[in-house]
Amino acid sequence: MLEARDLTIAYDHRTAVADLTLSLKAGEITAIIGPNGAGKSTLLRALNGQIPKVAGVIMLDGQPLQRLNRRSISRHIAVVAQEAELRFPVTVLEFVLGGRFAWATNSGWGWETERDLEVANAVIEETELRDLSARLMNELSGGERQRALMARALATEAPILLLDEPTANLDLSHQATLLTLVRKRCDQHRSAALVVTHDINLAAQFANNITLMKQGRAVHSGTPQEVLTPEILQEIFEVRVLVDAHPITGGPRVTPIISA
Amino acid sequence: MCFLCLFVATCSAVSRRALIILLLLAISFGCKSGAGQRVSLPARVTRVVSLAPNLTEIVFAVGAGDKLVGRTSYCDYPPEAKAVAEIGDTLHPSLERIIALKPQVVLISTSSQLEVFTRQLQNQNIAVFVTDPHDLEDVFRSIQQVGEMLGQKEQADQLVTKLRERTTAVEQAVKGKQPVRVFYQVSSEPLYTAGHDAFVTDLMRRAGAASVTANVPGAWPKYSNESALAARPEAIILPTGGSMGSVNSDVTEALRQSPAALQGRVYKINDDYLTRPGPRAIDGLEAMARALHPDAFK
Amino acid sequence: MNRVTLRKTLISCALLGAVLLLAIVSMSLLGSERLPARASLCALASLGSSACGLTQDQFDILFQIRLPRILLAAAVGGSLATAGAGYQALLRNPLAEPYLLGISNGAAVGTMISLVFFGAIEWTRPLLAFSGAFAATFAVYRLARGRAGATPERLILAGVIVTTFLSSVIVFVTTLMDATRIRSFTFWLLGDLSGSSKALLPVAITITILGALTLTLHARSLNLLMLGERDAFDLGVEVGRVRMVVFLVASLLVGSSVAASGSVGYVGLVVPHLARLSLGSDNRISIPAAALGGALFVIVADTVARTIIAPRELPVGAITALIGAPLFIYLLKRV
């Protein structure tokens, strides 16, 4: 669905991403993990078409990303932001309806259709925001706001979801809720998701694929079992780790060893 | 006033608004000082600086031109004045230049609103003579005071006598004639006119004119276009052609269908005669009277 | 507050439009000269074809002086409020307005240049005013660009810098002008609707209507932009294009107002605020409402300016400030 081949992105004198090849498949969650400055966020922005000058190709459903216009990209790719700028009062419903913009028939003008309302209300239901849909966004708690951001991204009905550290500001219960939503989407609607995260253990539970990045390169790629080994993790993070099997899920569980 | 306006323009947006309101209140009250007020005068004056064109003209007219050591860039009459050193314009005179010329007294017109400046000069032990003639009598008084101060009393008195004669001659000539309803146009866009406190209003009265704005408070009010139209003036006076150049040489749009405009009774008079309360004001008086009552001066 | 629908928008705009029309008619009955109310209304209803018993002078006052001035006030108010609404949405800052950002000072400098160097040629005034406004907008935007993009905070800061710089330029040019021009120019700088020639009026009205329409047609994009440029981009808005459109249109609107009437302040700040407070932040309704509300506001303010010390006049900018500043303080407290 979304593919990057030999992607290289250079800023000033730094190379943010180098010769990266990645492929997102329908129904799968891919996690991108790496130390700070590894180029994860840059990669995500490039996949969304936000960086115009790249070497290499990014293909969306077989078409080069550069050839597509903004609106059609938005119909295929949705970004779940980390936080929203809420300087003006807006209700949750209005906020979520913003996700329907890409489907508007007139650019910049027009009114929401019945379908738009249906979709918005459905995703509000899905993200358990029904009781809050008439409230103002800046009255919501952090977790509720994150769900609203998720709802807006889901409202675009885009089959590809890009999430940039979505659990960074969330408590445990909300972390679980969010990723469960993503998992459900991928399972039920055959969406593909790319999650940039620092939380290795969460990724181990939810991701089908993990790509480890270091200094702009995709150093290792594969299932959590394949790539979450002490050797690889030490190579990437330069830290000793203990990897054992999670007693309940059976998947890999990573614990850093911090010597006194 | 103008100095304050410029100061206001440089302020930040918020405080500017507050100052604007204060400024407008000040304008509407007008300035009401009379003729000269003397401040600590030396015995014999040999060096004087003038900060207004009318005062420069008065200095030369009383024969004390050789005592003038500094003038503003607007002081262009008489021609001999141009040889005198400049100390800036009427709104921004240079304190340093004035001090460097070592005058004993500085002549200031309050219409330039230089109160702060006045204090600075006094701090330098320079005497300040402030005057703001509101009518012709004030002008005569100023001439006599300046003349006395500069040791030219006799010449000043002679000048005033002659000017009075000319004034009386004009007043006699137009006596008994129906005063002509006149609109005095200071500028056309925006429309400004001469109000109750303006010097030229007194001149118009003596010239046999009834200024339609004679009772409007203030000296130079901004006037409503409607009221100008409704006033239906019989004549319009355009001060222009002097220092103003060709500015203000057209009648404002609201008055283009007035009786004055339709009958061609639009009179352009050298603005220097009408805006400088000095000896040439009589020239302005005569010019206006001749234009408004030509049959009285055959 | 309910979601904004087409119906809600049309009803609100129709109501505001009706109030505006009422204001135009009623304010034209007020002025420094008294006109007979019945006859005036009759003449207005006949759109000037019948004098209805007014004298020639009264007819001229009504149709040649008052009505054009009221219509110009509407155009200026509509333009400034629309431009303010556009800037506030684009810059994501409820405090953005043409004055704070130096746009009107840019337009004023442009107008001054045209007056001083091209005095006789009238069409240079709006043209140079627009150029000045656009140049100032561009300067503000470039100044504000940091590594994180042009955040609203940086924009306001850049705007203040540009405003104060241009204010000094204006002071500089006024000192070069002779004393006779300074008085009238200072009055103009405070906002003066009395002087404009009638030739500029149809241009001003056209620009107001076209400008408000254009920005309203981008209202949905602006709704998203109001919540963040990156988010808007992700959701399908062509951010660069919309930004350029808003800058161009807003500069045109401000340039046209300043060229016609000098700097009328607070309209671009207070009116869009009021529109959003009463009708919601959705630009599809708040932009047209701001346009109509701005027209109303300046018409009323100008009527006060030209009647309160009749037959003398105050600059309309003084009245908008007198009304606008306390109103703005009140609004700030509510938010």
Side-chain angles (χ1 to χ4, degrees):
Chain A
M1 289 174 87
L2 184 60
E3 240 192 286
R5 264 187 254 142
D6 301 319
L7 190 66
T8 303
I9 305 169
Y11 281 129
D12 306 323
H13 304 290
R14 276 190 345 110
T15 306
V17 174
D19 296 327
L20 190 135
T21 296
L22 183 78
S23 181
L24 296 181
K25 298 191 185 58
E28 287 192 357
I29 299 180
T30 304
I32 308 281
I33 295 179
N36 291 329
K40 311 189 293 293
S41 295
T42 311
L43 170 65
L44 197 131
R45 280 191 268 136
L47 288 174
N48 185 35
Q50 229 173 317
I51 302 177
K53 283 211 200 95
V54 298
V57 237
I58 304 177
M59 306 283 273
L60 173 62
D61 287 343
Q63 290 213 353
L65 202 65
Q66 283 132 317
R67 281 220 218 113
L68 298 171
N69 71 23
R70 190 64 243 149
R71 194 176 283 262
S72 54
I73 294 179
S74 300
R75 291 195 200 158
H76 288 90
I77 302 176
V79 175
V80 180
Q82 260 185 37
E83 47 191 10
E85 269 190 57
L86 295 168
R87 290 163 197 265
F88 293 88
V90 61
T91 65
V92 171
L93 179 60
E94 287 174 329
F95 186 79
V96 172
L97 275 171
R100 300 301 301 163
F101 180 81
W103 298 95
T105 42
N106 299 316
S107 73
W109 174 242
W111 301 91
E112 288 82 5
T113 63
E114 282 302 317
R115 176 99 221 290
D116 290 337
L117 276 167
E118 261 177 48
V119 173
N121 283 318
V123 300
I124 285 178
E125 190 74 49
E126 203 178 324
T127 50
E128 290 166 31
L129 288 169
R130 181 153 55 105
D131 298 329
L132 300 169
S133 79
R135 296 268 292 276
L136 290 178
M137 281 289 291
N138 50 19
E139 288 171 15
L140 301 185
S141 70
E144 290 163 344
R145 242 180 265 174
Q146 188 67 328
R147 297 209 309 270
L149 282 161
M150 183 81 211
R152 187 172 69 176
L154 293 178
T156 64
E157 294 186 305
I160 300 167
L161 294 170
L162 304 179
L163 300 95
D164 195 349
E165 301 197 40
T167 57
N169 300 319
L170 299 181
D171 62 29
L172 273 178
S173 78
H174 292 122
Q175 287 179 14
T177 318
L178 192 94
L179 285 169
T180 311
L181 262 171
V182 178
R183 183 80 258 170
K184 233 176 43 172
R185 263 283 146 152
C186 294
D187 291 340
Q188 291 175 356
H189 294 85
R190 305 295 294 159
S191 300
L194 182 92
V195 181
V196 170
T197 183
H198 275 303
D199 197 324
I200 301 179
N201 286 317
L202 222 48
Q205 286 193 56
F206 286 97
N208 302 86
N209 278 301
I210 297 185
T211 296
L212 292 153
M213 280 181 74
K214 187 170 176 145
Q215 289 175 338
R217 289 176 184 279
V219 185
H220 293 279
S221 211
T223 66
Q225 277 84 348
E226 285 167 12
V227 294
L228 293 181
T229 69
E231 297 77 28
I232 291 178
L233 288 169
Q234 178 143 2
E235 183 196 331
I236 300 288
F237 290 101
E238 290 166 25
V239 114
R240 282 177 61 208
V241 298
L242 166 69
V243 181
D244 58 358
H246 194 286
I248 297 178
T249 66
R253 179 172 63 171
V254 176
T255 317
I257 302 170
I258 300 162
S259 33
Chain B
M1 266 303 122
C2 300
F3 184 65
L4 275 173
C5 295
L6 294 168
F7 171 69
V8 157
T10 53
C11 283
S12 72
V14 173
S15 59
R16 185 210 283 190
R17 310 290 177 206
L19 279 170
I20 286 170
I21 290 132
L22 287 172
L23 183 66
L24 289 160
L25 288 171
I27 289 174
S28 62
F29 287 132
C31 23
K32 283 194 166 64
S33 51
Q37 308 151 261
R38 274 188 233 164
V39 182
S40 60
L41 207 56
R44 200 175 112 77
V45 178
T46 50
R47 300 176 69 79
V48 62
V49 164
S50 159
L51 293 188
N54 63 315
L55 296 169
T56 303
E57 292 188 23
I58 290 177
V59 167
F60 274 92
V62 300
D66 52 333
K67 302 202 168 91
L68 191 70
V69 295
R71 60 158 180 124
T72 76
S73 48
Y74 290 120
C75 302
D76 53 4
Y77 188 89
E80 298 90 318
K82 297 196 198 163
V84 177
E86 272 186 38
I87 45 80
D89 62 32
T90 44
L91 299 169
H92 309 99
S94 159
L95 185 61
E96 290 170 8
R97 286 229 195 134
I98 295 175
I99 295 172
L101 290 165
K102 299 201 209 315
Q104 290 147 319
V105 64
V106 172
L107 309 176
I108 296 184
S109 169
T110 51
S111 60
S112 303
Q113 298 295 324
L114 293 173
E115 286 91 353
V116 170
F117 202 68
T118 305
R119 235 161 285 142
Q120 286 177 309
L121 287 170
Q122 289 170 327
N123 288 341
Q124 297 289 328
N125 269 325
I126 297 173
V128 169
F129 178 79
V130 181
T131 173
D132 186 23
H134 273 269
D135 55 32
L136 215 45
E137 280 304 316
D138 285 346
V139 174
F140 296 148
R141 227 183 326 262
S142 298
I143 294 176
Q144 285 172 313
Q145 285 171 331
V146 170
E148 196 174 327
M149 181 170 54
L150 299 180
Q152 297 286 103
K153 183 170 178 352
E154 217 182 284
Q155 205 153 340
D157 287 341
Q158 277 175 6
L159 176 62
V160 169
T161 309
K162 264 204 222 99
L163 294 174
R164 266 197 219 280
E165 278 170 18
R166 286 166 65 189
T167 307
T168 315
V170 168
E171 288 174 327
Q172 287 290 66
V174 300
K175 191 161 140 177
K177 299 222 179 280
Q178 178 76 355
V180 179
R181 299 185 64 252
V182 163
F183 185 86
Y184 185 90
Q185 179 181 299
V186 173
S187 73
S188 76
E189 204 183 290
L191 181 62
Y192 274 89
T193 185
H196 177 264
D197 300 337
F199 163 70
V200 73
T201 301
D202 180 47
L203 281 183
M204 283 192 278
R205 183 182 57 83
R206 294 175 194 254
S211 167
V212 298
T213 55
N215 292 322
V216 177
W220 308 110
K222 170 155 186 333
Y223 205 61
S224 142
N225 288 335
E226 299 178 13
S227 298
L229 192 152
R232 309 196 106 242
E234 297 166 318
I236 296 172
I237 293 180
L238 296 177
T240 183
S243 311
M244 264 176 136
S246 61
V247 174
N248 199 36
S249 48
D250 288 313
V251 172
T252 191
E253 205 167 323
L255 287 174
R256 294 217 184 122
Q257 303 296 323
S258 61
L262 294 175
Q263 288 162 28
R265 294 190 77 183
V266 176
Y267 305 115
K268 297 187 196 173
I269 297 179
N270 189 329
D271 54 287
D272 292 339
Y273 295 170
L274 302 176
T275 59
R276 297 184 183 182
R280 290 200 293 168
I282 310 300
D283 296 334
L285 174 69
E286 288 170 348
M288 282 199 289
R290 270 177 220 278
L292 297 170
H293 298 280
D295 48 330
F297 293 92
K298 288 281 189 331
Chain C
M1 201 159 298
N2 284 327
R3 200 170 59 84
V4 169
T5 58
L6 180 62
R7 193 159 157 265
K8 188 175 172 191
T9 307
L10 286 176
I11 293 177
S12 309
C13 290
L15 265 168
L16 273 170
V19 174
L20 182 62
L21 198 61
L22 196 71
I24 292 177
V25 169
S26 54
M27 296 296 141
S28 62
L29 297 176
L30 298 173
S32 61
E33 294 299 308
R34 192 160 248 179
L35 296 183
R38 266 254 190 106
S40 306
L41 283 171
C42 163
L44 282 169
S46 76
L47 295 177
S49 56
S50 150
C52 292
L54 293 172
T55 67
Q56 183 61 40
D57 276 355
Q58 289 172 330
F59 189 84
D60 284 344
I61 287 178
L62 186 59
F63 285 96
Q64 303 279 19
I65 298 182
R66 261 188 220 172
L67 206 52
R69 179 165 173 163
I70 289 173
L71 291 175
L72 184 66
V76 166
S79 292
L80 292 174
T82 307
Y87 283 124
Q88 283 157 26
L90 187 67
L91 305 177
R92 305 193 293 292
N93 193 316
L95 287 182
E97 73 135 2
Y99 292 80
L100 213 61
L101 293 174
I103 319 287
S104 356
N105 272 351
V109 170
T111 311
M112 286 174 74
I113 293 176
S114 94
L115 281 174
V116 172
F117 294 108
F118 304 101
I121 313 169
E122 244 191 61
W123 55 263
T124 57
R125 260 188 16 178
L127 184 68
L128 283 169
F130 164 63
S131 313
F134 191 73
T137 309
F138 191 68
V140 168
Y141 197 73
R142 285 311 292 261
L143 265 177
R145 267 159 94 83
R147 283 195 51 218
T151 65
E153 288 77 22
R154 285 184 69 111
L155 266 159
I156 297 296
L157 204 63
V160 171
I161 294 171
V162 171
T163 302
T164 44
F165 172 73
L166 287 172
S167 286
S168 316
V169 172
I170 290 176
V171 169
F172 177 68
V173 177
T174 43
T175 57
L176 293 180
M177 287 175 155
D178 53 65
T180 45
R181 279 226 200 141
I182 289 179
R183 192 194 301 117
S184 53
F185 199 75
T186 314
F187 199 90
W188 177 84
L189 272 179
L190 301 176
D192 171 32
L193 283 163
S194 69
S196 260
S197 76
K198 291 205 272 296
L200 285 178
L201 182 62
V203 175
I205 294 180
T206 311
I207 288 179
T208 307
I209 295 177
L210 284 181
L213 264 173
T214 309
L215 285 188
T216 308
L217 286 175
H218 285 85
R220 226 173 141 180
S221 304
L222 286 172
N223 285 347
L224 291 180
L225 272 166
M226 261 181 4
L227 301 173
E229 267 186 26
R230 190 173 285 190
D231 287 8
F233 180 86
D234 293 337
L235 292 167
V237 176
E238 281 174 66
V239 174
R241 198 183 66 84
V242 174
R243 189 193 300 141
M244 189 50 60
V245 168
V246 173
F247 277 164
L248 274 171
V249 169
S251 303
L252 195 62
L253 288 169
V254 174
S256 134
S257 307
V258 172
S261 68
S263 308
V264 181
Y266 282 95
V267 182
L269 185 57
V270 169
V271 175
H273 245 97
L274 280 172
R276 280 197 302 271
L277 266 178
S278 41
L279 297 167
S281 308
D282 195 321
N283 286 296
R284 287 171 293 189
I285 194 174
S286 63
I287 290 183
L292 291 167
L296 197 61
F297 182 55
V298 177
I299 288 178
V300 171
D302 186 51
T303 304
V304 173
R306 62 187 170 85
T307 54
I308 202 166
I309 54 165
R312 293 177 294 164
E313 292 191 355
L314 288 173
V316 63
I319 307 296
T320 58
L322 273 171
I323 303 176
L327 199 58
F328 185 57
I329 294 172
Y330 169 71
L331 288 174
L332 272 180
K333 290 219 168 132
R334 274 196 63 171
V335 166

